Amino acid sequence: MPLDNPLFERIALVGIGLIGSSLARVIEREKIANAVVVSTRSEKTLKRAEELRLGTHYTIDAAEAVKDADLVIVSVPVGASGAVAAQIASSLKPGAIVTDVGSTKASVIRQMKPELPDNVHFIAGHPIAGTEYSGPDAGFASLFEGRWCILTPDQNTDPAALQKLSSFWSACGSDVETMDPAHHDQVLALVSHLPQLISYNIVGTASDFESVSEADVIKYSASGFRDFTRLAASDPTMWRDVCLHNKDAILEMLARFSEDLSSMRASIRRGDGDALFELFTKTRSIRRSIIEAGQDIDTPNFGRTPSKG
Amino acid sequence: MPLDNPLFERIALVGIGLIGSSLARVIEREKIANAVVVSTRSEKTLKRAEELRLGTHYTIDAAEAVKDADLVIVSVPVGASGAVAAQIASSLKPGAIVTDVGSTKASVIRQMKPELPDNVHFIAGHPIAGTEYSGPDAGFASLFEGRWCILTPDQNTDPAALQKLSSFWSACGSDVETMDPAHHDQVLALVSHLPQLISYNIVGTASDFESVSEADVIKYSASGFRDFTRLAASDPTMWRDVCLHNKDAILEMLARFSEDLSSMRASIRRGDGDALFELFTKTRSIRRSIIEAGQDIDTPNFGRTPSKG
């Protein structure tokens, strides 16, 4: 039975990984569209999406998927955005809204915008939500609840289209913020890409340190190390693309982090307890603010329950 | 009513923070001792411990606390170990077991051993368990469940005393491992001190970056940054002391981490996607091993439930 006045008649999801499949689930739960076309270039993934009943229609062909869609959401690694845009361009319905969910925005806009026809509304976006798991099984309807979604319109963006896309993200449970793409890339380089790369790096360092075995690293990981392994278990393709597509901002953050680390190393070498105490004290309050902002929980150890292996 | 055959008649807890107060709670729950003497140099903390009914006796005076105790557990920042040992030395009961819970072992042994009389059994130890919270209110009885406790006996350690201390930690829910103090300090520098310092450093970097406001850092922290803020909210005094007392091993780990980071930066600068993909792939499996070893949970985002601020 068709919905009574859905936000969109037909939504096309190009890419059905963690984000795409979470969108599919919340679109169904919130009755946001009458038809949801699921598309992915992997036959195996498409089959799995069908088994999970993530959409109403399924196709391997992205161009086919976007036909007649009022909203097209591209959820692929950012390095693939340009190719997807080229592929779907000539099949898009005039007046459709096209968006994405990629972790970098300037590069995605640079890749997609020139490919897309003038008669669609392209507004890039980025929901600040995720987990360390990937693929269509990893998604869940509440992923976006209480999380921010950043949209990066420009001066030519149609206000009605922007409003409609904002309503979509609100319906998914998100708060919506708009931002300049370059500023988005700077902010995310600091709060997301830097932590991600530092996690990969520390796990890399620990996993081939000669005098400490990997068995000991695993055994005693509850002393701190395990916290980093969550991010370091994230999708390698997605993160490779982020590094390649937000290179300058990431290199800036890594340079600053390294400078700060050199100064911490000097304090330790000198045995400067006061400098260390001051740094260790000032970092305490930011967690309190994050908890108050509803962006983390305050139960100890992230609320992990003790588990016996 | 006295317990039937408790493991120890009387236990003295010197220091009643997160670890000391967790021990107090599990000692009571598991009926490990008839009497538990709680001691801390802060009158306010001692009063709080009494309100929480953490022991059977309370005193500000550590020397008084250890009289007649069969087991003395020193749970203070590692920089204070020597002073505590000097203070309690002449009041210890002959044959008593004296241990600690500090995060560094060579330095603690160097500080405590020369102060203690020959007629007690000193065996240093380190339970690999904790949270980001401090103080007597932060403790809980299940803190040590499924976690490892490392003891660092030497060739003169009395096997019966070592056995008894191991039984104590088993009764608290821990698995016990023995290790050479220098190797302990090397392992922990990698799996605990390095992650801790990297967390402090990244939170420091983010909190005073000119072009990104602290408000944005907080708002978008669910994109990765928040994971680091947990460790960075830990007790500054404890961690200052760890840095000062495991300096060489920590500097070695930080140097290696920095080398690896330089090589990652070079890969990003060169746009070497293959090198990045390889690194990001190899770090994935270690998390799986940690989960299989029961040292972390496998639910996404550490099992945090979505929360709305």
Side-chain angles (χ1 to χ4, degrees):
Chain A
M1 201 174 65
L3 299 168
D4 213 39
N5 202 20
L7 194 55
F8 292 96
E9 181 53 36
R10 176 180 285 248
I11 296 179
L13 299 175
V14 181
I16 197 72
L18 169 67
I19 301 293
S21 73
S22 293
L23 285 171
R25 290 171 171 99
V26 68
I27 289 166
E28 192 193 5
R29 191 188 68 184
E30 297 300 319
K31 304 187 193 319
I32 293 172
N34 267 321
V36 175
V37 192
V38 173
S39 175
T40 162
R41 60 181 185 167
S42 149
E43 286 195 37
K44 198 178 145 209
T45 308
L46 191 67
K47 187 159 171 283
R48 184 63 191 146
E50 201 164 350
E51 285 165 5
L52 292 166
R53 298 169 182 274
L54 293 176
T56 54
H57 302 73
Y58 304 86
T59 170
I60 209 81
D61 181 356
E64 177 67 29
V66 304
K67 269 181 199 158
D68 300 320
D70 308 287
L71 172 65
V72 175
I73 308 177
V74 178
S75 312
V76 301
V78 291
S81 317
V84 169
Q87 204 187 339
I88 63 175
S90 62
S91 314
L92 290 164
K93 176 178 168 181
I97 297 174
V98 179
T99 190
D100 80 309
V101 301
S103 304
T104 73
K105 294 277 60 82
S107 150
V108 164
I109 293 169
R110 219 159 38 228
Q111 290 177 75
M112 293 185 73
K113 205 174 161 73
E115 304 287 349
L116 298 172
D118 289 338
N119 63 1
V120 302
H121 303 288
F122 171 57
I123 307 169
H126 181 201
I128 311 300
T131 78
E132 65 275 30
Y133 291 92
S134 327
D137 286 276
F140 51 97
S142 64
L143 179 63
F144 309 105
E145 270 167 37
R147 298 282 93 88
W148 290 89
C149 180
I150 299 174
L151 301 178
T152 57
D154 63 25
Q155 68 277 22
N156 300 319
T157 302
D158 176 54
L162 179 60
Q163 182 51 54
K164 198 151 187 205
L165 186 57
S166 298
S167 302
F168 169 77
W169 282 107
S170 300
C172 294
S174 287
D175 294 313
V176 180
E177 189 65 89
T178 60
M179 209 182 270
D180 171 72
H183 187 61
H184 167 278
D185 289 357
Q186 184 90 1
V187 171
L188 271 289
L190 184 64
V191 301
S192 171
H193 311 168
L194 176 65
Q196 183 67 41
L197 293 174
I198 294 306
S199 296
Y200 279 129
N201 196 66
I202 201 168
V203 176
T205 300
S207 67
D208 51 34
F209 202 90
E210 305 74 24
S211 58
V212 178
S213 70
E214 190 169 302
D216 277 352
V217 169
I218 291 163
K219 210 160 157 180
Y220 306 120
S221 60
S223 59
F225 179 73
R226 62 176 177 167
D227 278 23
F228 292 74
T229 60
R230 187 183 81 77
L231 289 177
S234 303
D235 184 25
T237 305
M238 169 184 161
W239 284 103
R240 176 201 61 198
D241 280 10
V242 169
C243 288
L244 301 176
H245 289 269
N246 197 21
K247 186 167 153 170
D248 294 342
I250 287 173
L251 287 172
E252 185 190 348
M253 299 308 162
L254 285 172
R256 172 62 78 88
F257 173 88
S258 296
E259 273 173 38
D260 291 344
L261 191 62
S262 297
S263 122
M264 181 195 273
R265 283 167 71 181
S267 299
I268 295 172
R269 197 175 300 112
R270 283 197 309 268
D272 186 347
D274 291 345
L276 295 169
F277 186 81
E278 195 194 325
L279 170 63
F280 300 172
T281 305
K282 86 170 183 188
T283 54
R284 232 178 176 180
S285 65
I286 204 163
R287 180 157 181 85
R288 181 51 41 200
S289 307
I290 287 172
I291 290 166
E292 280 163 10
Q295 297 303 319
D296 210 339
I297 59 173
D298 64 353
T299 41
N301 279 327
F302 300 122
R304 292 158 169 140
T305 44
S307 65
K308 187 92 181 172
Chain B
M1 201 172 68
L3 298 169
D4 215 38
N5 201 21
L7 194 55
F8 292 96
E9 181 54 35
R10 175 180 286 248
I11 296 178
L13 299 174
V14 181
I16 196 75
L18 169 67
I19 301 293
S21 72
S22 293
L23 285 172
R25 290 171 170 100
V26 69
I27 288 167
E28 192 194 4
R29 192 189 68 186
E30 297 300 319
K31 304 187 194 314
I32 293 173
N34 267 320
V36 175
V37 192
V38 172
S39 176
T40 161
R41 60 182 186 166
S42 150
E43 286 194 34
K44 200 179 143 207
T45 308
L46 191 67
K47 187 159 171 285
R48 184 62 191 146
E50 202 166 350
E51 286 165 6
L52 293 166
R53 298 169 181 272
L54 293 176
T56 54
H57 303 72
Y58 303 86
T59 171
I60 208 83
D61 181 357
E64 178 67 29
V66 303
K67 269 181 199 159
D68 301 319
D70 307 288
L71 173 65
V72 175
I73 308 176
V74 177
S75 312
V76 301
V78 292
S81 317
V84 168
Q87 204 186 341
I88 62 175
S90 62
S91 313
L92 290 165
K93 176 177 168 182
I97 296 173
V98 179
T99 190
D100 81 309
V101 300
S103 304
T104 74
K105 295 275 64 78
S107 150
V108 164
I109 293 168
R110 217 156 41 225
Q111 291 177 76
M112 293 186 73
K113 204 175 163 74
E115 304 287 348
L116 297 173
D118 289 339
N119 64 1
V120 302
H121 302 288
F122 172 57
I123 306 168
H126 181 202
I128 312 300
T131 78
E132 65 276 30
Y133 291 92
S134 326
D137 286 277
F140 51 98
S142 64
L143 179 63
F144 309 105
E145 269 166 37
R147 298 282 91 88
W148 289 89
C149 180
I150 298 174
L151 301 178
T152 57
D154 61 27
Q155 68 277 24
N156 301 316
T157 301
D158 176 54
L162 178 61
Q163 183 50 55
K164 198 152 186 204
L165 186 57
S166 297
S167 302
F168 170 78
W169 282 107
S170 299
C172 293
S174 287
D175 294 313
V176 180
E177 189 65 87
T178 59
M179 207 182 270
D180 172 71
H183 188 61
H184 166 279
D185 290 356
Q186 185 90 1
V187 172
L188 272 288
L190 185 64
V191 300
S192 172
H193 311 168
L194 177 65
Q196 183 67 40
L197 293 173
I198 294 306
S199 296
Y200 279 128
N201 196 66
I202 202 169
V203 176
T205 300
S207 68
D208 50 35
F209 202 90
E210 304 75 25
S211 59
V212 178
S213 70
E214 190 169 302
D216 277 352
V217 169
I218 291 164
K219 212 160 154 177
Y220 306 119
S221 60
S223 59
F225 179 73
R226 61 177 179 166
D227 279 21
F228 291 75
T229 60
R230 187 183 80 77
L231 288 177
S234 304
D235 184 24
T237 305
M238 170 186 161
W239 284 102
R240 177 201 61 199
D241 280 10
V242 169
C243 289
L244 301 177
H245 289 268
N246 197 23
K247 187 167 150 170
D248 294 343
I250 287 174
L251 287 173
E252 184 189 348
M253 300 307 162
L254 285 172
R256 172 61 78 89
F257 174 88
S258 295
E259 272 173 39
D260 292 344
L261 191 62
S262 296
S263 123
M264 182 197 273
R265 283 167 71 181
S267 299
I268 295 172
R269 196 175 301 111
R270 283 197 308 268
D272 186 347
D274 291 343
L276 295 169
F277 186 82
E278 195 193 325
L279 170 65
F280 300 172
T281 305
K282 86 171 182 186
T283 55
R284 233 179 175 180
S285 65
I286 204 162
R287 180 158 180 84
R288 180 53 39 202
S289 306
I290 287 172
I291 290 166
E292 281 162 9
Q295 297 303 318
D296 210 339
I297 59 173
D298 65 353
T299 41
N301 279 327
F302 299 122
R304 291 158 169 141
T305 43
S307 66
K308 187 93 182 173

